[in-house]
Amino acid sequence: METQANKSPHTLFWIAGIAVTVFSAVGIAAIMGWIPTSTSSPSNSAVIAKQSTAPAKSTASANTASEQAREQARAQARARCAECGVVESVREIDTKGEGSGIGAVGGAVVGGVLGHQIGSGRGQDVATVVGAVGGAVAGHEIEKRVKSSKSYEITVRFEDGSSRVIHEASATAWRTGDRVKVINGVIQSNA
């Protein structure tokens, strides 16, 4: 009787398996946002609408002639057009979509099939499981990115010194420096 000695897989298979695993892990980390990518930009994901007003001065030393003149100019501006202002900034906001599970299931199937192609015996079983888990994570993230949406945040500085953030769902024609009028939360031209 002839017995076959247990041979370990060829070194090239080990190197290829490790390279695929590291490449997949880095790809998943980039998709999940755990590491920065070349297209990432530092931005705050929470959308916060702020409204600020000019502080009132109550001390006697602040009531100089120049301060009184500025306050009169502000009062005249408020009397002229309380809803008039200038676009201070326009920001594009990316909103991630919600995953329904279909992407995770599809990714797990594809990852499991691809993982099953690697190795033999227990190594093949491990590769199948790792491929299925990695595929599920990647599929879920891909589904969320496909369902993502964009909105726009426009900050308007009013003539009285206050500012307001207006949110629009579609692409906007407003640019920084445009003179606008905000009526009932809708931006209109004031050229």
Side-chain angles (χ1 to χ4, degrees):
M1 232 201 256
E2 208 174 294
T3 60
Q4 185 176 7
N6 267 344
K7 290 185 186 179
S8 68
H10 192 271
T11 307
L12 189 58
F13 286 124
W14 279 104
I15 292 171
I18 291 170
V20 166
T21 303
V22 168
F23 182 74
S24 297
V26 169
I28 290 170
I31 288 172
M32 297 295 288
W34 298 334
I35 60 173
T37 62
S38 63
T39 59
S40 67
S41 63
S43 65
N44 189 1
S45 61
V47 178
I48 301 173
K50 294 182 180 178
Q51 220 176 16
S52 63
T53 57
K57 307 225 181 215
S58 61
T59 61
S61 64
N63 288 332
T64 62
S66 62
E67 286 296 319
Q68 289 175 350
R70 285 187 205 148
E71 190 59 39
Q72 286 177 349
R74 287 185 192 136
Q76 288 174 353
R78 273 179 258 162
R80 267 187 279 145
C81 183
E83 62 271 341
C84 297
V86 176
V87 174
E88 198 168 71
S89 68
V90 178
R91 278 188 28 198
E92 183 178 287
I93 307 296
D94 291 323
T95 306
K96 276 194 174 180
E98 294 293 323
S100 63
I102 294 172
V105 171
V109 170
V110 171
V113 169
L114 291 176
H116 189 70
Q117 304 300 317
I118 299 173
S120 64
R122 296 295 284 162
Q124 187 177 33
D125 295 343
V126 170
T128 301
V129 170
V130 169
V133 170
V137 170
H140 181 69
E141 189 62 30
I142 289 170
E143 180 184 13
K144 286 184 358 184
R145 288 190 185 248
V146 166
K147 291 182 176 180
S148 67
S149 64
K150 293 183 181 194
S151 62
Y152 297 87
E153 182 179 88
I154 304 153
T155 304
V156 177
R157 172 77 55 193
F158 292 101
E159 291 178 358
D160 66 355
S162 66
S163 66
R164 183 172 168 197
V165 177
I166 311 291
H167 300 279
E168 290 189 5
S170 60
T172 179
W174 304 115
R175 302 289 173 246
T176 302
D178 287 349
R179 297 201 52 77
V180 295
K181 188 183 278 191
V182 180
I183 299 175
N184 295 329
V186 179
I187 301 174
Q188 299 175 355
S189 178
N190 189 24

